[in-house]
Each structure stands twice: as C-alpha cells, then as structure tokens.
Amino acid sequence: MKQTYLFLIFVSMSLNISAQKRLRDYGVKIGVMKTGALNAITDVKGVKVGHTTIQQGDSVNTGVTAIIPAEGNLFQSKVPAAIYIGNGFGKLMGISQVKELGNLETPIVLTNTLSIATAADAIIDYSVTQKENQNLRSVNAIVGETNDSYLNDIVGRHVKKQHVLTAIENAKNGVVAEGNVGAGTGTVCFGFKGGIGTASRVLPKASGGYTVGVLVQTNFGGVLQIDGVPVGVALNQYFLNNQLNDPADGSCMIVVITDAPVTARNLERIAKRAMMGLAKTGGIASNGSGDYVIAISNAEGLRVAHDSKEKLQTVQELRNDEVSPLFLATIEATEEAILNSLFAAKTLKGKNGTIQSLPIDQTIKLLKEYKKIN
C-alpha cells in the first residue's frame, strides 16, 4: 500500500505540469538568446528526465530526479563529460573517474545528501541488468545531492532503490516538472521554497544552431536578484539581514547538456560559466554550499565505445574560437533555470517548520517598477 501511495504522488505531480507558471509566463525574459521550444533541458535531443516525489505527512519531503543525457546504452556508448566544483562542501559521487577519463557512463541521479549510497546502488542495478552489459565488472555511478534536512526527515533515509529505479524508468522527453518535485521536493533557495528548475538556449545558425539545456536542484542562499532587480533586499529576505534564518548554506546541483561537439576540456570551460549564471541570481557559493556543475555533450560523433578494436579515435570538435556562444547560452539558461525553480515552487510545511514560496505578486510588482516587464 505504501508503494502505491508514493506512485500516486508521482503521477499527480506529472499531471500538474501544465498548470505551473514560469518566469516567462509573467513577461520576464532573461538574456538575449532564444530558448528552445520547451525552454527545458529536454530541448536537447535524446535527453530525458524523470522524478519520484516522496511525501509522508509533514516530516518526509524528499525525492529523486534522474537525467538520462543521451539515447542508447550509456555504458556501452559513453558521452563526453566534465565536472566543475564551484564550492566543494558536497558529496557528489563519481567525480574522479569523470575528471580522469572525460566521459560519463550512467544516468545522473539527484537526491538528498544521505541517500547518495542508495541512489548509487540503484544505478548499479540499472546498469548491470541491461542486456548488453552482461560482462560488466565496474560502473561509475553519478549521484548529486543537496541537503533537504530543514523540511525533510533526512536521517530517516526514506529514498529506497525502487524510487530511484522508478525515476530512471519513467524518464521521458518533453515538458519537465519543476518546483516541489523529485529531488527538489524539500529544498530551500534564498530563504524561499526552492526546487527543480530548467531552461534552454539555442545558438544562432551562424554559430552552429546548437542547443544548450540546463537543469538545477536549488538549495542555496545569498541575495536574490531577478534580471538585475534586488528582489531579496526589497522583500527583506537575504543573507546577513537575518543570518539565523538564512545562513545561505545549502547546495546547488547544475546539469548542463548540449548537442554541440565539444569534449571534456571545453565542457569544463562551459561548466565554469554555469556558476556565472548562479551568481547572476545572487547566489554566493557559501562555505557550507556544495555547488557542482556536470556538463555533457551528447553529440553522436563524440560517443566513446566501451569496447573497440580500433586503437585510435578520431573526432571532430569545435575550435576554441567557436565556443563563446555556448558560454553565453550556459550562463543565461542557468540563471533562468534557477529562477524557474523559485517561480514553480510552492509553500511547504516540513519537519522543522514552514518555508514560504517566493511571493509572486510582490515580485512581479517590483519587476514592473524596474521596467523589466512591459
């Protein structure tokens, strides 16, 4: 009965996607570049996202978000990847092999801090049971986390392997649920309710027409700005104003995926720019914040075969001179994804109290006063 209850929560979250209003629905446009059709990480062909949301009473508010970055068997056909550490007070699993080899071989799973081992175990189960992987003897599971212990009974470790497997198995392309869903169910951002957010950008045809998609799990603090407007100060909710209630610690997981042909070296450069997007929202990467960026290219010509008789691998990748548009796309999409997480999130009563959502009406009024909305 318990599993049925949790599954119904997952389905209800999916059904409410169309009712969610995002930043652009209020007339706010971040940056100068065009978005993809969905303004989501799934605008990058082949990318799928799945959520499992776990809520029981007031004390359990947590979940899992799974990102499948490319089509096919990731272990047999790996994707170029890089990881950048904005601030390393976190528990990201799988980082050393990605840094050493420059590729990724599993779905990415986001969850809470004390559930990373469970999530990794589930990823291993998923990997070893795939038909082509019968001879698998090692796999590098990628699990990111933020600490949702204010709203969630994190010590209870309510995330189980089946929750993770359900998120992976139900991952799909199309519209991505945001706010209080999956790994964002119990998160707090700038003292307001945080969550999952996503956005995308499409480069001009002259720059290759590539797509950059970003998904974030927001659980950090600072001094909130929206398109340069000092919203946090105006709402009297910001770091050092009331340090006891807004210590700015937490974490932010950022996943960047592009179809541009770039390998690990330039993917790390792209990942660094995501932290610029976080900074534009007022995030400060505080001492207690684990801020990690995972950047991936799923360009077909760059896939890395697990087994090959060829001794050489020849690839075509963008020259350094051509990657600046990807940098801007990453900054803009990260900034907007973070803001989308705030606009989608809802007030939530949790284990240690209630976290209010961003007051949308007051925020829109401020943005109009600063002429950010026509």
Side-chain angles (χ1 to χ4, degrees):
M1 185 67 183
K2 183 177 179 181
Q3 287 184 336
T4 302
Y5 172 67
L6 293 174
F7 178 72
L8 288 174
I9 291 175
F10 174 81
V11 172
S12 68
M13 282 291 187
S14 298
L15 293 176
N16 286 332
I17 293 175
S18 61
Q20 292 180 333
K21 293 194 72 174
R22 312 176 78 198
L23 186 66
R24 286 182 180 250
D25 294 328
Y26 294 95
V28 184
K29 295 182 178 180
I30 299 298
V32 299
M33 300 184 73
K34 291 183 178 180
T35 71
L38 300 171
N39 194 17
I41 196 169
T42 47
D43 282 318
V44 181
K45 185 180 178 181
V47 176
K48 298 179 181 179
V49 176
H51 300 296
T52 300
T53 301
I54 306 167
Q55 292 182 293
Q56 299 172 7
D58 292 332
S59 63
V60 179
N61 294 288
T62 192
V64 177
T65 296
I67 304 101
I68 300 177
E71 297 175 345
N73 186 318
L74 288 168
F75 184 80
Q76 297 297 331
S77 182
K78 308 173 199 303
V79 289
I83 295 175
Y84 178 69
I85 304 173
N87 192 72
F89 200 135
K91 318 297 184 290
L92 174 64
M93 182 176 286
I95 183 171
S96 63
Q97 183 170 309
V98 174
K99 280 187 165 291
E100 187 72 19
L101 302 183
N103 58 54
L104 181 146
E105 61 189 19
T106 71
I108 300 160
V109 168
L110 307 179
T111 187
N112 72 64
T113 305
L114 296 188
S115 294
I116 55 171
T118 299
D121 200 15
I123 292 173
I124 293 169
D125 279 3
Y126 168 79
S127 298
V128 301
T129 55
Q130 289 186 286
K131 182 179 178 181
E132 303 91 339
N133 297 348
Q134 62 266 29
N135 294 321
L136 185 152
R137 295 294 180 269
S138 170
V139 64
N140 187 47
I142 304 296
V143 185
E145 54 76 31
T146 69
N147 193 308
D148 58 14
S149 58
Y150 186 82
L151 291 171
N152 175 50
D153 171 28
I154 194 170
V155 175
R157 287 171 284 180
H158 300 278
V159 174
K160 307 302 179 186
K161 282 203 298 183
Q162 187 54 51
H163 297 135
V164 181
L165 291 169
T166 297
I168 295 172
E169 291 162 1
N170 285 287
K172 60 184 181 64
N173 48 29
V175 177
V176 177
E178 297 175 296
N180 303 18
V181 64
T185 302
T187 61
V188 181
C189 188
F190 294 111
F192 301 108
K193 183 66 188 69
I196 297 296
T198 188
S200 70
R201 292 294 185 272
V202 178
L203 273 60
K205 287 185 178 180
S207 298
Y210 304 113
T211 300
V212 174
V214 174
L215 183 142
V216 296
Q217 177 194 19
T218 60
N219 193 51
F220 64 95
V223 184
L224 175 62
Q225 296 184 42
I226 299 178
D227 202 14
V229 177
V231 172
V233 173
L235 296 177
N236 203 34
Q237 175 67 58
Y238 58 95
F239 179 52
L240 297 182
N241 176 49
N242 186 344
Q243 192 169 355
L244 180 63
N245 292 328
D246 185 15
D249 290 340
S251 289
C252 188
M253 287 300 310
I254 305 173
V255 179
V256 182
I257 304 179
T258 183
D259 57 4
V262 282
T263 54
R265 182 178 55 80
N266 271 325
L267 284 169
E268 184 174 3
R269 298 177 72 202
I270 289 169
K272 292 176 182 178
R273 271 64 182 186
M275 289 301 298
M276 295 182 182
L278 183 145
K280 288 190 71 177
T281 68
I284 64 171
S286 70
N287 172 70
S289 192
D291 303 310
Y292 296 88
V293 187
I294 303 169
I296 298 163
S297 169
N298 68 5
E300 190 61 35
L302 300 184
R303 301 289 288 266
V304 181
H306 178 66
D307 290 313
S308 176
K309 295 180 181 179
E310 300 295 330
K311 294 185 180 297
L312 298 177
Q313 180 171 346
T314 302
V315 299
Q316 285 189 320
E317 60 177 312
L318 288 179
R319 289 167 45 84
N320 292 336
D321 292 342
E322 303 302 319
V323 298
S324 290
L326 296 171
F327 293 167
L328 180 58
T330 301
I331 294 168
E332 289 190 9
T334 302
E335 179 183 5
E336 186 163 348
I338 291 169
L339 298 176
N340 278 336
S341 78
L342 286 162
F343 271 70
K346 306 299 180 187
T347 297
L348 184 64
K349 182 179 180 181
K351 186 177 189 299
N352 296 297
T354 299
I355 295 294
Q356 300 293 324
S357 63
L358 180 72
I360 301 299
D361 290 344
Q362 290 176 262
T363 301
I364 296 303
K365 182 179 179 181
L366 283 167
L367 293 170
K368 287 181 177 179
E369 289 175 0
Y370 278 81
K371 302 187 185 307
K372 297 295 183 179
I373 301 175
N374 294 326

